[in-house]
Amino acid sequence: MPDSTPSALSPRVRFAPSPTGFLHVGSARTFIFNWLFARHHHGTMVLRLDDTDVERNTEASVRSIFEGLRWLGLDWDEEYKQSERLDLHRKAAEAIFARGLAYRDFTPAHAGEDTQSGTQGAASREGAWLCNPGMREMSREESDRRAAAGEPFALRYRVPRGQGRILSFQDGVYGPQSKMADEVEDFALLRSDGMPTYHLASCFDDADLRITHIIRGQDHLTNTFKHLLIFEGLDAAAPQFAHLPLLVAPDGAKLSKRKHGPVVSVTTYRDAGFLPQAFINFLCLLGWSPKNDREFLAVDEIRELFSLDGVNRANAVVNFKEDDPFDPKAVWLNAEHLRALPVEELARCIEPFLKQAGFQAAPEKVAAVTPLIRERIKLLSEAVSAADFFFVAELTPYDPAELIPQKGDAALARRVLEKAQEVLAATPFDHDSLDKGLREAAAALGLKAGPMFQPIRVAVCGRKNAPPLFETLVVLGRETCLERIGQAEARLASLQV
RNA sequence: GUCCCCGUCGUCUAGCCCGGCCUAGGACACCGCCCUUUCACGGCGAUAACACGGGUUCAAAUCCCGUCGGGGACGCCA
């Protein structure tokens, strides 16, 4: 998008979700791209709730959307609700009708049936539907008479036909676009209950709110030709358009709430322990590239680097699976962002997950544990399984055989544990002292570090894979360590019978 | 069905507009090695792609045409 155009000097963009379900990743990405564009150009970000579908809108959905956006931590400058602007929309429709650019369609509405539920709908028709027979040509007199008689009607745009009219615009991502007007159907502006349709409400508001750039999903690319007509009918200049490649599932189909469920919900990512900055980073890389081979980026960096020129045209696959709902790259990025966080901050992020697992996660304790697990977790939620033994009073039962080092036997494990108890009881409980004491003990037993440390690690952690030993011992404290080693000896004894 | 869009490693992508520097670069994942008290981190390495067919040209991933494949729109949903 050339920065020389006046509108690019201070662009106004909008994110216009319809509150018919939870905020899903595709919508979140659209929001993020708009935000990035606005903030990069020092423009204005407008949030508009496109809630003209009274039937399907829910309060819960509105809350869910705000919750998701707030979690992302990205802001907006102005906020509107379409449902509060209905009078404006109706007046706009009347104006278009008055100009002869629309007509009344008295064809009864498709009785309840969702055209899409049958999969058929448009597909079953031979060719594309353009208009209902007899309506477009109806005389103004008859139209007025039937309307006055109270017969319900929808208002449709009278798409110019037979004039060889070509609709065209320059897309910020897809380049020059054009289509014959003859191929555009007479879409509805007003429903028979008087409510504006999405097309009308959206275009009117975009014009009225002086939106300069419409950045939205590519599923609206063909709708844009209709929108061009509406802006014309409104006698308003059309904004710039930029369509984003779609986010698709591994099977190639557009991500949808209905088909893909919670794996596409923003809250699913939040609850699994994604950091919002990592989530944003991941979503940006789906269909956009800074072109400098960098992928791990802070939000501020992305904002600075962002440009519509970097937006790709091919759809992007979000690589989730049945057994693993998150794209590996998203997980990797999250791990990177996790490690980039100052420990205290990471600790604060981890704390709620620990508490939710029922642990007594005192801030000081979490702060002490965090550095030990931060390179061992990729999602915040994994802190629970990575650090459980720091918080439980009683270790969950483990196989005593784990206490026995690789090339050793139970007797060796017993000797190690006994020796360890001596050392731990007599050594100052700090990293270096423990390190020195335990290594000397190993030497005294004629053992290498491995066989010496493993029994101790399993005894205090209850498993083989754990954070580095000395740090772990320190955080656990002398008392707990001694107690757990004692219990380990008992387990070992039970094994020998 | 009609129209619109897209097609580089398994996935995200760079390169394409302005043909040669591309024996196609990076990242994730996977595999191997190293580091190491376990796990992890880190380091190193390997495998892996220009959908296909025609042109144009001295030269094509890059330009043109076609084919095939995928997606989207076609609703009184948004």
Side-chain angles (χ1 to χ4, degrees):
Chain A
M1 203 111 322
D3 282 10
S4 54
T5 62
S7 56
L9 261 23
S10 184
R12 287 172 61 81
V13 300
R14 45 67 156 184
F15 173 60
S18 64
T20 56
F22 51 73
L23 180 67
H24 81 110
V25 296
S27 306
R29 187 183 67 144
T30 301
F31 173 80
I32 292 166
F33 277 49
N34 273 282
W35 183 90
L36 252 13
F37 183 83
R39 301 279 98 117
H40 177 91
H41 293 288
H42 306 289
T44 306
M45 175 83 204
V46 173
L47 177 69
R48 191 182 74 212
L49 249 28
D50 279 9
D51 54 352
T52 52
D53 187 356
V54 209
E55 307 263 304
R56 305 197 308 156
N57 293 335
T58 66
E59 226 359 85
S61 172
V62 175
R63 278 197 304 276
S64 161
I65 288 168
F66 277 95
E67 196 185 326
L69 295 181
R70 244 180 281 118
W71 175 69
L72 287 178
L74 304 181
D75 57 348
W76 52 91
D77 310 301
E78 297 172 23
E79 197 175 308
Y80 304 90
K81 261 178 124 165
Q82 275 196 330
S83 55
E84 292 165 354
R85 304 167 55 82
L86 295 178
D87 284 346
L88 261 20
H89 301 148
R90 277 193 270 258
K91 284 202 182 82
E94 277 163 30
I96 292 174
F97 178 70
R99 292 180 62 186
L101 296 173
Y103 62 89
R104 298 190 184 100
D105 181 349
F106 296 94
T107 310
H110 278 226
E113 53 181 287
D114 243 337
T115 352
Q116 76 168 14
S117 63
T119 315
Q120 313 303 58
S124 68
R125 293 194 293 262
E126 275 302 306
W129 171 91
L130 288 177
C131 61
N132 287 325
M135 295 299 158
R136 188 186 226 258
E137 308 77 15
M138 186 183 294
S139 71
R140 182 62 190 267
E141 290 68 34
E142 183 185 352
S143 177
D144 284 347
R145 200 191 66 239
R146 287 171 71 168
E151 191 176 340
F153 61 86
L155 193 70
R156 288 186 184 281
Y157 200 98
R158 191 189 300 278
V159 177
R161 297 190 196 293
Q163 305 166 199
R165 172 86 190 276
I166 292 169
L167 271 3
S168 59
F169 66 98
Q170 184 70 25
D171 190 273
V173 169
Y174 289 90
Q177 301 295 313
S178 63
K179 185 176 185 173
M180 297 284 294
D182 300 72
E183 268 148 7
V184 177
E185 71 278 8
D186 285 354
F187 53 92
L189 257 20
L190 244 35
R191 315 208 267 246
S192 48
D193 61 2
M195 288 291 283
T197 61
Y198 156 75
H199 299 299
L200 199 234
S202 175
C203 291
F204 173 83
D205 285 340
D206 287 336
D208 192 56
L209 300 174
R210 306 180 330 278
I211 299 301
T212 60
H213 299 258
I214 295 181
I215 302 171
R216 63 196 348 179
Q218 194 238 43
D219 47 349
H220 282 295
L221 195 60
T222 32
N223 282 335
T224 306
F225 297 107
K226 293 171 200 160
H227 297 175
L228 251 22
L229 254 12
I230 298 181
F231 285 116
E232 194 176 292
L234 254 17
D235 204 19
Q240 304 278 325
F241 293 93
H243 289 87
L244 269 18
L246 262 23
L247 253 32
V248 299
D251 69 358
K254 172 168 84 153
L255 282 193
S256 81
K257 302 172 191 178
R258 266 192 53 200
K259 267 186 72 178
H260 308 287
V263 298
V264 303
S265 170
V266 171
T267 50
T268 302
Y269 283 78
R270 180 199 61 190
D271 297 344
F274 275 87
L275 255 15
Q277 60 268 43
F279 183 69
I280 291 169
N281 192 167
F282 169 65
L283 252 24
C284 283
L285 261 20
L286 256 24
W288 174 78
S289 163
K291 299 180 189 291
N292 58 184
D293 280 350
R294 292 194 54 207
E295 304 204 300
F296 171 65
L297 300 160
V299 176
D300 282 347
E301 293 179 292
I302 302 173
R303 191 197 60 222
E304 236 152 80
L305 293 164
F306 188 79
S307 160
L308 252 20
D309 295 335
V311 179
N312 189 290
R313 278 174 284 274
N315 290 169
V317 174
V318 178
N319 210 356
F320 59 78
K321 301 199 209 78
E322 291 286 336
D323 55 322
D324 181 10
F326 304 117
D327 191 307
K329 196 147 196 172
V331 176
W332 170 75
L333 276 168
N334 198 57
E336 293 287 303
H337 281 274
L338 230 50
R339 292 180 210 125
L341 236 39
V343 201
E344 321 79 61
E345 213 169 310
L346 215 212
R348 277 196 294 278
C349 294
I350 286 174
E351 197 182 308
F353 285 86
L354 259 18
K355 285 198 166 133
Q356 207 196 4
F359 296 151
Q360 293 288 317
E364 316 75 52
K365 181 104 179 250
V366 179
V369 167
T370 299
L372 302 193
I373 60 169
R374 82 135 126 209
E375 293 194 338
R376 272 158 266 266
I377 60 172
K378 289 179 151 71
L379 300 174
L380 295 172
S381 57
E382 290 169 358
V384 174
S385 58
D388 56 353
F389 59 87
F390 284 112
F391 297 95
V392 294
E394 198 74 22
L395 244 30
T396 45
Y398 54 91
D399 182 359
E402 303 263 273
L403 291 161
I404 302 169
Q406 277 297 321
K407 280 168 256 171
D409 53 18
L412 175 64
R414 171 175 292 277
R415 262 184 290 137
V416 168
L417 259 18
E418 277 170 4
K419 188 74 177 169
Q421 270 183 316
E422 284 174 31
V423 176
L424 296 193
T427 308
F429 240 65
D430 62 81
H431 178 283
D432 293 353
S433 306
L434 255 14
D435 188 325
K436 184 162 174 282
L438 254 13
R439 280 186 202 280
E440 282 172 0
L445 291 174
L447 291 175
K448 292 200 156 197
M452 178 72 199
F453 297 161
Q454 195 204 324
I456 306 174
R457 177 179 299 108
V458 174
V460 300
C461 302
R463 68 173 103 100
K464 283 179 180 171
N465 300 345
L469 188 57
F470 311 126
E471 288 88 333
T472 303
L473 294 176
V474 172
V475 173
L476 244 17
R478 194 195 310 265
E479 198 184 328
T480 304
C481 291
L482 255 19
E483 186 188 322
R484 289 185 182 176
I485 291 174
Q487 288 163 349
E489 288 179 311
R491 286 181 207 273
L492 213 45
S494 75
L495 185 72
Q496 281 166 318
V497 212

